[in-house]
Coordinates of all heavy atoms in Angstrom, one line a residue:
A1 N 113.6 110.0 127.4 CA 112.6 110.9 128.1 C 112.2 111.9 127.0 O 113.0 112.5 126.3 CB 113.3 111.6 129.2
C2 N 110.9 112.1 126.9 CA 110.4 113.1 126.0 C 108.9 113.5 126.5 O 108.4 112.9 127.4 CB 110.3 112.6 124.6 SG 109.2 111.3 124.3
T3 N 108.4 114.4 125.8 CA 107.0 114.8 126.0 C 106.2 114.7 124.7 O 106.8 114.8 123.6 CB 106.8 116.2 126.6 OG1 107.4 117.1 125.7 CG2 107.5 116.3 128.0
I4 N 104.9 114.5 124.8 CA 104.1 114.5 123.6 C 103.4 115.8 123.5 O 102.8 116.3 124.4 CB 103.0 113.3 123.7 CG1 103.7 112.0 124.0 CG2 102.2 113.2 122.4 CD1 104.7 111.5 123.1
H5 N 103.4 116.4 122.3 CA 102.8 117.7 122.0 C 101.3 117.5 122.4 O 100.7 116.5 121.9 CB 103.0 118.1 120.6 CG 102.5 119.5 120.3 ND1 101.2 119.8 120.2 CD2 103.2 120.6 120.2 CE1 101.1 121.1 120.0 NE2 102.3 121.6 120.0
P6 N 100.7 118.4 123.1 CA 99.3 118.2 123.5 C 98.3 118.0 122.3 O 97.4 117.2 122.4 CB 99.0 119.5 124.3 CG 100.3 120.0 124.7 CD 101.3 119.6 123.7
D7 N 98.5 118.7 121.2 CA 97.6 118.5 120.1 C 97.8 117.2 119.5 O 96.8 116.6 119.0 CB 97.9 119.6 119.0 CG 97.5 121.0 119.4 OD1 96.6 121.1 120.3 OD2 98.0 122.0 118.9
L8 N 99.0 116.6 119.4 CA 99.2 115.3 118.9 C 98.5 114.3 119.8 O 97.8 113.3 119.3 CB 100.7 115.0 118.7 CG 101.0 113.5 118.3 CD1 100.4 113.2 116.9 CD2 102.5 113.3 118.3
K9 N 98.7 114.4 121.1 CA 98.1 113.5 122.1 C 96.6 113.5 121.9 O 96.0 112.4 121.9 CB 98.5 113.9 123.5 CG 98.0 112.9 124.5 CD 98.6 113.2 125.9 CE 98.1 112.1 126.9 NZ 98.8 112.2 128.1
R10 N 96.0 114.7 121.8 CA 94.5 114.8 121.7 C 94.1 114.1 120.4 O 93.1 113.3 120.4 CB 94.1 116.3 121.7 CG 92.6 116.5 121.5 CD 92.3 118.0 121.2 NE 93.1 118.6 120.2 CZ 92.9 118.4 118.9 NH1 92.0 117.6 118.4 NH2 93.7 119.1 118.0
L11 N 94.8 114.3 119.3 CA 94.4 113.7 118.0 C 94.5 112.2 118.1 O 93.6 111.5 117.6 CB 95.3 114.3 116.9 CG 95.0 113.8 115.5 CD1 93.7 114.2 115.0 CD2 96.1 114.2 114.6
L12 N 95.6 111.7 118.6 CA 95.7 110.2 118.7 C 94.6 109.6 119.6 O 94.1 108.6 119.3 CB 97.1 109.9 119.3 CG 98.3 110.1 118.4 CD1 99.6 110.0 119.1 CD2 98.2 109.2 117.2
I13 N 94.3 110.3 120.7 CA 93.2 109.7 121.6 C 91.9 109.8 120.9 O 91.1 108.8 120.9 CB 93.2 110.5 122.9 CG1 94.5 110.2 123.7 CG2 92.0 110.2 123.7 CD1 94.7 111.0 125.0
E14 N 91.6 110.9 120.1 CA 90.4 111.0 119.4 C 90.3 109.9 118.3 O 89.2 109.3 118.1 CB 90.2 112.4 118.8 CG 89.9 113.4 119.8 CD 89.9 114.8 119.2 OE1 90.1 115.0 117.9 OE2 89.7 115.8 120.0
F15 N 91.4 109.6 117.6 CA 91.4 108.6 116.6 C 91.1 107.2 117.2 O 90.3 106.4 116.7 CB 92.8 108.5 115.9 CG 92.8 109.2 114.6 CD1 92.5 110.5 114.4 CD2 93.2 108.5 113.5 CE1 92.6 111.1 113.2 CE2 93.3 109.1 112.2 CZ 92.9 110.4 112.1
H16 N 91.7 107.0 118.4 CA 91.5 105.7 119.1 C 90.1 105.6 119.5 O 89.5 104.5 119.3 CB 92.5 105.6 120.3 CG 92.4 104.3 121.0 ND1 91.7 104.1 122.1 CD2 92.9 103.1 120.7 CE1 91.8 102.9 122.5 NE2 92.5 102.2 121.7
Q17 N 89.5 106.6 120.1 CA 88.1 106.6 120.5 C 87.2 106.4 119.4 O 86.1 105.7 119.5 CB 87.8 107.8 121.3 CG 88.5 107.9 122.6 CD 88.3 109.3 123.3 OE1 88.0 110.3 122.7 NE2 88.5 109.3 124.6
A18 N 87.5 106.9 118.2 CA 86.7 106.7 117.0 C 87.0 105.4 116.3 O 86.4 105.1 115.2 CB 86.9 107.9 116.0
K19 N 87.8 104.6 116.9 CA 88.2 103.3 116.3 C 88.8 103.4 114.9 O 88.6 102.5 114.1 CB 87.0 102.3 116.3 CG 86.5 102.1 117.8 CD 85.6 100.9 117.8 CE 85.0 100.7 119.2 NZ 85.8 100.7 120.3
R20 N 89.6 104.5 114.7 CA 90.3 104.7 113.5 C 91.7 104.0 113.6 O 92.3 104.0 114.7 CB 90.5 106.2 113.2 CG 89.3 107.0 113.2 CD 88.5 107.0 111.9 NE 89.4 107.2 110.8 CZ 89.2 108.0 109.8 NH1 88.1 108.7 109.8 NH2 90.1 108.1 108.8
P21 N 92.2 103.5 112.5 CA 93.5 102.8 112.6 C 94.6 103.8 112.7 O 94.5 105.0 112.2 CB 93.6 102.1 111.2 CG 92.7 102.8 110.3 CD 91.6 103.4 111.2
I22 N 95.6 103.5 113.5 CA 96.8 104.3 113.7 C 98.0 103.4 113.4 O 98.2 102.4 114.0 CB 96.9 104.8 115.2 CG1 95.6 105.6 115.6 CG2 98.1 105.6 115.4 CD1 95.6 106.0 117.1
G23 N 98.7 103.9 112.4 CA 100.0 103.1 112.0 C 101.2 103.7 112.7 O 101.3 104.9 112.8
A24 N 102.1 102.9 113.1 CA 103.3 103.3 113.7 C 104.5 102.5 113.3 O 104.4 101.2 113.3 CB 103.1 103.3 115.2
T25 N 105.6 103.1 112.9 CA 106.8 102.4 112.4 C 108.0 102.9 113.2 O 107.9 104.0 113.8 CB 107.0 102.5 110.9 OG1 107.2 103.9 110.6 CG2 105.9 102.0 110.1
C26 N 109.0 102.1 113.2 CA 110.3 102.4 113.8 C 110.1 102.7 115.3 O 109.6 101.9 116.0 CB 110.9 103.6 113.0 SG 112.7 103.7 113.4
I27 N 110.5 103.9 115.7 CA 110.4 104.2 117.2 C 109.0 104.8 117.5 O 108.7 105.0 118.7 CB 111.5 105.2 117.6 CG1 111.7 105.2 119.1 CG2 111.3 106.5 117.0 CD1 112.1 103.9 119.8
S28 N 108.2 105.1 116.6 CA 106.9 105.8 116.9 C 106.0 105.0 117.8 O 105.1 105.6 118.4 CB 106.2 106.2 115.6 OG 105.9 105.2 114.8
P29 N 106.0 103.6 117.9 CA 105.2 102.9 118.9 C 105.5 103.4 120.3 O 104.6 103.4 121.1 CB 105.6 101.5 118.7 CG 105.9 101.4 117.2 CD 106.7 102.6 117.0
A30 N 106.7 103.9 120.5 CA 107.0 104.5 121.9 C 106.2 105.7 122.1 O 105.8 106.0 123.2 CB 108.5 104.8 122.0
I31 N 105.9 106.5 121.1 CA 105.1 107.7 121.2 C 103.7 107.3 121.6 O 103.0 107.9 122.4 CB 105.1 108.6 119.9 CG1 106.6 109.1 119.8 CG2 104.1 109.7 120.0 CD1 106.8 109.8 118.4
L32 N 103.2 106.2 120.9 CA 101.9 105.7 121.2 C 101.8 105.2 122.6 O 100.8 105.5 123.3 CB 101.4 104.6 120.2 CG 101.2 105.1 118.8 CD1 100.9 103.9 117.9 CD2 100.1 106.1 118.7
A33 N 102.8 104.5 123.1 CA 102.8 104.0 124.4 C 102.8 105.2 125.4 O 102.1 105.1 126.4 CB 104.1 103.1 124.7
M34 N 103.6 106.2 125.2 CA 103.6 107.3 126.1 C 102.2 108.0 126.1 O 101.7 108.5 127.1 CB 104.7 108.3 125.7 CG 106.1 107.8 126.0 SD 107.3 109.0 125.6 CE 107.0 110.2 127.0
T35 N 101.6 108.1 124.9 CA 100.3 108.8 124.8 C 99.2 108.1 125.5 O 98.4 108.7 126.2 CB 99.9 108.9 123.3 OG1 100.9 109.8 122.6 CG2 98.5 109.6 123.1
F36 N 99.2 106.7 125.4 CA 98.1 105.9 126.0 C 98.4 105.3 127.3 O 97.5 104.6 127.8 CB 97.7 104.9 124.9 CG 97.0 105.5 123.8 CD1 97.6 105.7 122.6 CD2 95.6 105.8 123.8 CE1 97.0 106.3 121.5 CE2 95.0 106.4 122.8 CZ 95.7 106.7 121.6
E37 N 99.6 105.6 127.9 CA 99.9 105.0 129.2 C 98.8 105.4 130.2 O 98.5 106.6 130.4 CB 101.3 105.5 129.6 CG 101.8 104.8 130.9 CD 103.2 105.2 131.3 OE1 103.7 106.2 130.7 OE2 103.8 104.6 132.1
G38 N 98.2 104.5 130.9 CA 97.2 104.8 131.8 C 95.8 105.0 131.2 O 94.8 105.2 132.0
I39 N 95.7 105.0 129.9 CA 94.4 105.2 129.2 C 93.9 104.0 128.5 O 92.7 103.7 128.6 CB 94.6 106.4 128.2 CG1 95.0 107.7 128.9 CG2 93.3 106.5 127.3 CD1 95.3 108.8 127.9
A40 N 94.8 103.3 127.8 CA 94.4 102.1 127.0 C 95.6 101.2 126.9 O 96.8 101.6 127.0 CB 93.9 102.5 125.7
T41 N 95.3 99.9 126.7 CA 96.4 98.9 126.4 C 96.4 98.7 124.9 O 95.4 98.2 124.4 CB 96.1 97.6 127.2 OG1 96.1 97.9 128.6 CG2 97.2 96.6 126.9
L42 N 97.5 99.0 124.3 CA 97.6 98.8 122.8 C 98.6 97.7 122.5 O 99.5 97.4 123.3 CB 98.1 100.1 122.2 CG 97.4 101.4 122.4 CD1 98.1 102.5 121.7 CD2 95.9 101.3 122.0
K43 N 98.4 97.0 121.4 CA 99.3 96.0 120.9 C 100.4 96.8 120.1 O 100.1 97.5 119.1 CB 98.7 95.0 119.9 CG 97.9 94.0 120.6 CD 97.4 93.0 119.5 CE 96.4 92.0 120.1 NZ 96.0 91.1 119.1
L44 N 101.6 96.8 120.6 CA 102.7 97.5 120.0 C 104.0 96.7 119.9 O 104.1 95.6 120.6 CB 103.0 98.8 120.8 CG 101.9 99.8 121.0 CD1 102.4 100.9 122.0 CD2 101.5 100.4 119.7
T45 N 104.9 97.0 119.1 CA 106.2 96.4 119.1 C 107.3 97.4 118.9 O 107.1 98.5 118.3 CB 106.3 95.4 117.9 OG1 107.5 94.6 118.1 CG2 106.3 96.0 116.5
L46 N 108.4 97.1 119.5 CA 109.7 97.9 119.2 C 110.7 96.9 118.7 O 111.9 97.0 119.0 CB 110.2 98.6 120.5 CG 109.4 99.8 120.9 CD1 109.9 100.3 122.3 CD2 109.5 100.9 119.8
G47 N 110.2 96.0 117.9 CA 111.1 95.0 117.2 C 111.2 93.7 118.0 O 110.3 93.3 118.8
D48 N 112.3 93.0 117.8 CA 112.5 91.7 118.5 C 113.4 91.8 119.8 O 113.8 90.8 120.3 CB 113.0 90.6 117.5 CG 114.3 91.0 116.9 OD1 114.9 92.0 117.3 OD2 114.7 90.3 116.0
S49 N 113.7 93.0 120.2 CA 114.5 93.2 121.4 C 113.6 93.1 122.6 O 112.7 93.8 122.8 CB 115.1 94.6 121.4 OG 115.6 94.9 122.7
E50 N 113.9 92.1 123.4 CA 113.1 91.8 124.7 C 113.2 93.0 125.6 O 112.2 93.4 126.2 CB 113.6 90.6 125.4 CG 112.8 90.2 126.6 CD 111.2 90.1 126.4 OE1 110.8 89.7 125.3 OE2 110.5 90.5 127.3
A51 N 114.4 93.6 125.7 CA 114.5 94.8 126.6 C 113.6 96.0 126.2 O 113.0 96.6 127.0 CB 116.0 95.2 126.6
Q52 N 113.6 96.2 124.9 CA 112.7 97.3 124.4 C 111.2 97.0 124.6 O 110.5 97.9 125.0 CB 113.0 97.7 123.0 CG 114.4 98.3 122.8 CD 114.8 98.6 121.4 OE1 114.1 98.1 120.4 NE2 115.8 99.3 121.2
N53 N 110.9 95.8 124.3 CA 109.5 95.4 124.5 C 109.1 95.4 125.9 O 107.9 95.6 126.3 CB 109.2 94.1 123.8 CG 109.1 94.2 122.3 OD1 108.4 95.1 121.8 ND2 109.8 93.4 121.5
Q54 N 110.0 95.1 126.8 CA 109.7 95.1 128.2 C 109.4 96.5 128.7 O 108.5 96.7 129.5 CB 110.9 94.6 129.0 CG 110.7 94.5 130.5 CD 109.5 93.6 130.9 OE1 109.2 92.6 130.2 NE2 108.8 93.9 132.0
T55 N 110.0 97.5 128.1 CA 109.7 98.9 128.4 C 108.3 99.2 128.0 O 107.5 99.8 128.8 CB 110.6 99.8 127.6 OG1 112.0 99.6 128.0 CG2 110.3 101.3 127.9
L56 N 107.8 98.7 126.9 CA 106.4 98.8 126.5 C 105.5 98.2 127.6 O 104.4 98.8 127.9 CB 106.1 98.2 125.1 CG 106.7 98.9 123.9 CD1 106.4 98.1 122.7 CD2 106.3 100.4 123.8
R57 N 105.8 97.0 128.0 CA 105.0 96.3 129.0 C 104.9 97.1 130.3 O 103.9 97.2 130.9 CB 105.6 94.9 129.3 CG 105.4 93.9 128.1 CD 105.8 92.5 128.5 NE 106.0 91.8 127.3 CZ 107.1 91.6 126.6 NH1 108.3 92.1 127.1 NH2 107.1 90.9 125.5
Q58 N 106.0 97.7 130.7 CA 106.1 98.5 131.9 C 105.1 99.7 131.8 O 104.7 100.3 132.8 CB 107.5 98.9 132.2 CG 108.4 97.8 132.7 CD 109.8 98.2 132.8 OE1 110.3 99.3 132.3 NE2 110.6 97.3 133.4
M59 N 104.9 100.1 130.6 CA 104.0 101.3 130.3 C 102.5 100.8 130.1 O 101.6 101.6 129.8 CB 104.4 102.0 129.1 CG 105.8 102.6 129.2 SD 106.5 103.3 127.7 CE 105.7 104.9 127.8
G60 N 102.3 99.5 130.4 CA 100.9 99.0 130.3 C 100.5 98.5 128.9 O 99.3 98.3 128.7
M61 N 101.4 98.4 128.0 CA 101.1 98.0 126.6 C 101.3 96.5 126.5 O 102.0 95.8 127.2 CB 102.0 98.7 125.6 CG 101.9 100.2 125.6 SD 100.2 100.8 125.3 CE 100.0 101.8 126.8
E62 N 100.6 95.9 125.5 CA 100.8 94.5 125.1 C 101.9 94.5 124.0 O 101.7 94.9 122.9 CB 99.6 93.9 124.5 CG 99.7 92.4 124.2 CD 98.5 91.8 123.6 OE1 97.4 92.4 123.7 OE2 98.6 90.7 123.0
A63 N 103.1 94.1 124.5 CA 104.3 94.2 123.6 C 104.4 92.9 122.8 O 104.4 91.8 123.4 CB 105.6 94.4 124.4
I64 N 104.5 93.0 121.5 CA 104.6 91.8 120.6 C 106.0 91.8 119.9 O 106.3 92.7 119.2 CB 103.5 91.9 119.5 CG1 102.1 92.1 120.1 CG2 103.6 90.6 118.6 CD1 101.6 91.1 121.0
P65 N 106.8 90.8 120.2 CA 108.1 90.7 119.5 C 107.8 90.6 118.0 O 107.0 89.7 117.6 CB 108.8 89.5 120.1 CG 108.1 89.3 121.4 CD 106.7 89.7 121.2
A66 N 108.6 91.3 117.2 CA 108.3 91.2 115.7 C 109.6 91.7 115.0 O 110.3 92.6 115.4 CB 107.2 92.1 115.3
D67 N 109.8 91.1 113.8 CA 110.9 91.5 113.0 C 110.4 92.5 112.0 O 109.2 92.8 112.0 CB 111.7 90.3 112.3 CG 110.8 89.6 111.4 OD1 109.8 90.1 110.9 OD2 111.2 88.4 111.0
V68 N 111.3 93.0 111.1 CA 110.9 94.1 110.2 C 109.9 93.6 109.1 O 109.3 94.4 108.4 CB 112.1 94.7 109.5 CG1 113.0 95.3 110.5 CG2 112.9 93.6 108.7
R69 N 109.7 92.3 109.0 CA 108.7 91.8 108.0 C 107.4 91.5 108.6 O 106.5 91.0 107.9 CB 109.3 90.5 107.3 CG 110.6 90.8 106.5 CD 111.2 89.5 106.0 NE 111.6 88.6 107.1 CZ 112.8 88.6 107.7 NH1 113.7 89.5 107.4 NH2 113.1 87.8 108.7
T70 N 107.2 91.8 109.9 CA 105.9 91.4 110.6 C 105.1 92.6 110.9 O 105.6 93.7 111.3 CB 106.3 90.7 111.9 OG1 107.2 89.6 111.6 CG2 105.1 90.2 112.6
L71 N 103.8 92.5 110.7 CA 102.8 93.5 111.0 C 102.1 93.1 112.3 O 101.6 92.0 112.4 CB 101.8 93.6 109.9 CG 100.6 94.6 110.1 CD1 101.1 96.0 110.2 CD2 99.5 94.4 109.0
V72 N 102.1 94.0 113.2 CA 101.4 93.8 114.5 C 100.1 94.6 114.4 O 100.1 95.8 114.2 CB 102.2 94.2 115.7 CG1 101.4 94.1 117.0 CG2 103.5 93.4 115.8
S73 N 98.9 93.9 114.6 CA 97.7 94.6 114.6 C 96.8 94.1 115.7 O 97.0 93.2 116.3 CB 97.0 94.4 113.2 OG 96.7 93.0 113.0

């Protein structure tokens, strides 16, 4: 459980609307999922853990299983 700082959320949404790339590593895809829940469906990964990727799906994201050598775009 966490909250997204309003300025960060605004900036991420503005980047997405401007079709700018947003890179996310480690746990930061969860921040993107929280930011865009109910706004947009993003392709994200939280690794190859089905349980963690299922959490992304429950937030309306397209969860892609991936290992540390894989880029999801």
Side-chain angles (χ1 to χ4, degrees):
C2 69
T3 58
I4 308 300
H5 190 282
D7 290 338
L8 175 60
K9 184 172 183 169
R10 177 190 50 76
L11 180 65
L12 289 169
I13 291 170
E14 287 175 3
F15 260 59
H16 183 263
Q17 290 171 338
K19 301 195 183 310
R20 305 278 313 224
I22 300 171
T25 60
C26 197
I27 195 64
S28 62
I31 293 170
L32 292 176
M34 290 184 69
T35 297
F36 289 98
E37 186 174 15
I39 297 171
T41 300
L42 306 178
K43 285 185 185 179
L44 300 172
T45 189
L46 285 174
D48 57 7
S49 165
E50 183 54 35
Q52 291 178 349
N53 284 311
Q54 182 60 31
T55 300
L56 292 177
R57 288 185 197 97
Q58 291 170 348
M59 298 172 83
M61 302 299 125
E62 182 180 347
I64 311 294
D67 65 18
V68 296
R69 296 174 297 274
T70 304
L71 173 68
V72 174
S73 62

